[in-house]
Amino acid sequence: MLIAGGALGALAAMGAAMFIVSLALYIYFAVALMTIAKKTNTPNAWLAFIPIANVYLMTQIAGLPGWYTLAVLL
């Protein structure tokens, strides 16, 4: 039973580490997308931090119509 507890603890630690790394990568990519949006004078650069809205922001940076967002998501 002691071995199972240690394995569960190691699994929880790995999960916490993966969560922190994933969150750091998400923030990095959101800041990068927001910087690109600001440099291209795209309005609403803050949309980079919202998961579905950042796809819309990418289509706006590319100069595509808004309905392309739906096509990308599907």
Side-chain angles (χ1 to χ4, degrees):
M1 208 179 271
L2 184 62
I3 295 172
L8 187 60
L11 187 61
M14 285 176 35
M18 287 186 65
F19 175 76
I20 291 170
V21 169
S22 298
L23 184 64
L25 282 172
Y26 182 79
I27 291 171
Y28 173 76
F29 285 123
V31 169
L33 181 59
M34 193 164 108
T35 304
I36 292 169
K38 285 182 181 179
K39 287 186 178 189
T40 58
N41 294 324
T42 306
N44 300 326
W46 56 271
L47 290 174
F49 288 97
I50 303 172
I52 301 297
N54 65 8
V55 176
Y56 173 75
L57 181 62
M58 285 187 255
T59 59
Q60 294 304 302
I61 290 171
L64 300 172
W67 63 269
Y68 269 78
T69 304
L70 183 62
V72 170
L73 291 175
L74 292 178

